Amino acid sequence: MLDRLRRAARHLKAELLALSHAARDARTPWPARAVALLVLAYALSPIDLIPDFIPVLGYLDDLLLVPAGLWLALRLVPPAVLADARAEAARHPRKLARSGWGLALMLAVYALLLLLLWRWLGPGVAGWWAARDSVQ
């Protein structure tokens, strides 16, 4: 069982490396490139949607979101580009390091999500906040 998990983790890392090569290929369409960059940014960012110190849930987002995003990104990349990217990743295996750009991108995405949530809940939150202040 543990050996199978290690093989799956190695395969996931190899696919992420291939995806990084495919994202830099000029033949990759921009929607596939955008999804690939988001997946890579999330996978390599030092911050997660749910922090890892939270028991079970902290690792559950990594176990679900990264493979699901990888699956989607790989489906959007043209097969010829993906084959070339996998071959390049196999020829030059390297470790994907934590990314400062990934951190910046994920912070921007989180800020955008918070802004959208605030705008969506804005009137209700502002009314609640005003009512709370008038009671005190």
Side-chain angles (χ1 to χ4, degrees):
M1 168 93 169
L2 191 57
D3 187 48
R4 194 171 76 192
L5 287 174
R6 285 186 182 134
R7 277 184 279 139
R10 277 193 300 270
H11 178 70
L12 184 68
K13 287 179 183 179
E15 290 292 279
L16 284 170
L17 181 58
L19 185 62
S20 74
H21 287 292
R24 288 188 234 125
D25 194 309
R27 299 172 293 169
T28 303
W30 73 265
R33 195 175 290 192
V35 171
L37 290 175
L38 281 174
V39 169
L40 287 166
Y42 184 78
L44 299 176
S45 172
I47 60 171
D48 288 337
L49 188 60
I50 302 171
D52 289 342
F53 65 82
I54 297 175
V56 181
L57 292 177
Y59 291 106
L60 194 58
D61 72 328
D62 292 330
L63 291 173
L64 295 176
L65 291 178
V66 173
L70 182 63
W71 176 84
L72 176 63
L74 292 176
R75 296 300 176 270
L76 294 174
V77 174
V81 175
L82 188 55
D84 291 346
R86 283 179 175 148
E88 181 68 23
R91 272 194 307 273
H92 303 290
R94 61 182 169 88
K95 184 179 178 187
L96 290 170
R98 292 284 183 193
S99 169
W101 287 106
L103 173 64
L105 180 60
M106 292 314 301
L107 286 174
V109 168
Y110 294 151
L112 178 64
L113 289 174
L114 285 173
L115 178 67
L116 291 173
L117 184 64
W118 180 260
R119 296 285 295 174
W120 182 56
L121 295 175
V125 172
W128 172 80
W129 199 263
R132 184 186 75 84
D133 286 342
S134 66
V135 171
Q136 292 179 350

